[in-house]
Amino acid sequence: MYCAAPIAPGVRVAEPPRRTGRGDGAELTLDPSAIAANTRFLAARATRLMAVVKADGFGHGAAEAAAAALGAGATSLGVTSVEEALVLRAAGFRVPILSWLNPVDGAFEEALRAHVSLAVPGCAHLTSVVRAASRTRRTARIHLQLDTGMGRDGAEPEAWPELCRRARQAEADGLAEVVGVMSHLGCAETPGDPCTDRALDLFRTAVSTAAEAGLRPRRRHLAATSATLTDSRTRFDLARVGAGLFGIDPTGTTRLRPALTLTAPVVAVRAVPAGAGAGYGHSWSAERRTHLALLPVGYADGLPRSASARAEVLLGGRRCRIAGRISMDQVIVDTGDRPAVPGETATVFGPGDRGEPTVREWARWSGTLEHEIMTGLGARLRRSVRRQAVAA
Ligand SMILES: *Cc1c(COP(=O)(O)O)cnc(C)c1O
């Protein structure tokens, strides 16, 4: 758990500074120093680090996340579409960018003009990339991608020798340079899972096959966050790390720091008698006289409705349970004996330093992963960046 020691009942803890002015609603604050600290921690466990900033940097903002990671030891960027890569180029990033998961007719000419490297998961993609290289008179920088048992992206082992042979031919024609061989692990969050042993065997064999075909890939890469944290056999030349940058450790073996804090102001307060219902369907009713506070944040902002019965926020220095169903735009919070003050700030989640819930808790309350909460945060949230001092 990320949470600091529980805050004693009744103790008020300083909330982040409140913004004033019209239009202030829920606010999502990014702390880039948390991403930097996580990057340093992960980079120390990798030969080289590619910062995977797909899905808008796991909801943190791709450019902000990339800048924080590159400033702290990452040396390249990874995304799952050419479009995302082009956005990063347009934002001024000059480091190597690798895009995988492209359709066979992907925007490869645009990618090559922007010096974006491409994962090649099979011969059809290779043909398409080579055609784009010939049209743009560029040498495509490619990473041959193998499927080592996930059944997702990448060539099947049987198709690998032919892919290597054709890639070597493309090199000879001056149209491609095979800079990498890559695969992805499906079971790495469970250290010791034999599925990882099998994937490692397949990967090592594929690397040998590539060498026999005359390829000299400088970057062999297999590990993502989980394997980087727990399995040094998967190190090779590069780790592609996403989740860990943002404070997610799927193996539960380390303490990485969450970088996002979601706050919302109290917009209304009321006292209700025992038996009063609240929210759609009155799924909640007051067991005794209590106070309710209304926050302008809901499932359209990414708070999973399935967390309704369990979720809490930090308000007035104390954990308060959500009362009733999470609505699209709002939640009701049961503040017990203490009436909240309109304008007071509630913390929906954060790094946990002040006793506020973490994204990990929200994920548990809704039966999902931190990844899904982070990438599901709503576009209408007001976003800001505020660097916090992080103890090393
Ligand atoms: C998302 C992704 C990664 C990053 O994985 P994390 O577990 O988030 O570090 C690495 N490689 C591939 C192919 C991916 O799709």
Side-chain angles (χ1 to χ4, degrees):
M1 297 294 297
Y2 304 121
C3 284
I7 305 278
V11 173
R12 283 192 71 103
V13 177
E15 298 284 349
R18 235 191 95 231
R19 288 167 53 137
T20 53
R22 287 166 64 90
D24 280 1
E27 179 176 26
L28 188 67
T29 307
L30 170 69
D31 172 14
S33 61
I35 296 177
N38 297 331
T39 304
R40 282 191 290 274
F41 186 86
L42 287 149
R45 285 152 185 80
T47 310
R48 269 180 208 82
L49 200 78
M50 171 185 288
V52 178
V53 294
K54 60 189 181 185
D56 198 25
F58 286 58
H60 293 61
E64 289 82 356
L70 292 170
T75 53
S76 61
L77 300 172
V79 288
T80 51
S81 70
V82 168
E83 199 179 346
E84 289 172 303
L86 296 179
V87 168
L88 289 165
R89 277 282 179 262
F93 293 98
R94 313 293 280 269
V95 298
I97 303 179
L98 172 64
S99 165
W100 58 88
L101 203 62
N102 294 296
V104 73
D105 60 347
F108 297 140
E109 292 183 29
E110 288 88 331
L112 298 184
R113 282 194 201 97
H115 302 281
V116 171
S117 309
L118 296 163
V120 169
C123 288
H125 280 76
L126 183 64
T127 302
S128 184
V129 169
V130 161
R131 190 181 309 125
S134 135
R135 287 211 183 117
T136 56
R137 297 171 189 275
R138 306 205 176 224
T139 304
R141 276 200 225 119
I142 62 176
H143 293 240
L144 298 184
Q145 188 176 9
L146 175 76
D147 185 89
T148 46
M150 265 199 105
R152 289 196 332 189
D153 209 8
E156 290 177 55
E158 307 77 67
W160 187 253
E162 175 69 4
L163 179 60
C164 289
R165 203 184 56 71
R166 293 218 205 162
R168 181 65 199 115
Q169 184 59 50
E171 283 193 336
D173 297 340
L175 295 170
E177 183 196 354
V178 176
V179 297
V181 167
M182 65 186 284
S183 187
H184 191 55
L185 297 168
C187 309
E189 78 270 22
T190 316
D193 193 311
C195 144
T196 302
D197 301 339
R198 283 196 296 277
L200 256 173
D201 282 349
L202 286 168
F203 190 67
R204 290 199 189 101
T205 303
V207 166
S208 306
T209 304
E212 284 155 20
L215 299 171
R216 298 286 174 267
R218 299 191 301 278
R219 304 281 185 261
R220 297 159 300 167
H221 45 117
L222 181 59
T225 297
S226 294
T228 300
L229 292 174
T230 57
D231 193 341
S232 59
R233 298 174 303 165
T234 63
R235 263 194 180 200
F236 297 99
D237 306 306
L238 175 72
R240 300 181 310 271
V241 169
L245 304 176
F246 307 106
I248 303 171
D249 174 3
T251 70
T253 57
T254 58
R255 268 165 203 242
L256 298 170
R257 188 170 171 80
L260 291 176
T261 299
L262 177 61
T263 59
V266 171
V267 295
V269 176
R270 71 186 62 209
V272 295
Y280 284 119
H282 285 192
S283 63
W284 176 95
S285 60
E287 284 171 13
R288 54 190 148 74
R289 184 185 149 76
T290 190
H291 294 88
L292 301 180
L294 184 64
L295 306 178
V297 62
Y299 61 75
D301 304 296
L303 299 187
R305 188 169 172 276
S306 56
S308 295
R310 290 168 289 277
E312 299 170 348
V313 303
L314 187 75
L315 184 52
R318 291 183 310 163
R319 287 287 189 103
C320 298
R321 181 70 59 84
I322 284 176
R325 296 215 178 108
I326 294 172
S327 299
M328 184 184 292
D329 318 298
Q330 47 197 309
V331 294
I332 304 160
V333 175
D334 181 356
T335 65
D337 295 337
R338 189 192 78 95
V341 182
E344 196 180 345
T345 300
T347 305
V348 178
F349 58 73
D353 299 342
R354 294 169 300 108
E356 75 276 18
T358 57
V359 168
R360 171 172 278 214
E361 285 178 276
W362 275 92
R364 187 158 45 76
W365 291 329
S366 55
T368 186
L369 301 175
E370 291 151 275
H371 312 59
E372 193 178 343
I373 306 275
M374 288 177 182
T375 56
L377 294 168
R380 74 178 176 189
L381 284 170
R382 194 157 48 93
R383 288 173 175 257
S384 66
V385 176
R386 206 174 297 137
R387 189 168 293 276
Q388 290 175 17
V390 178

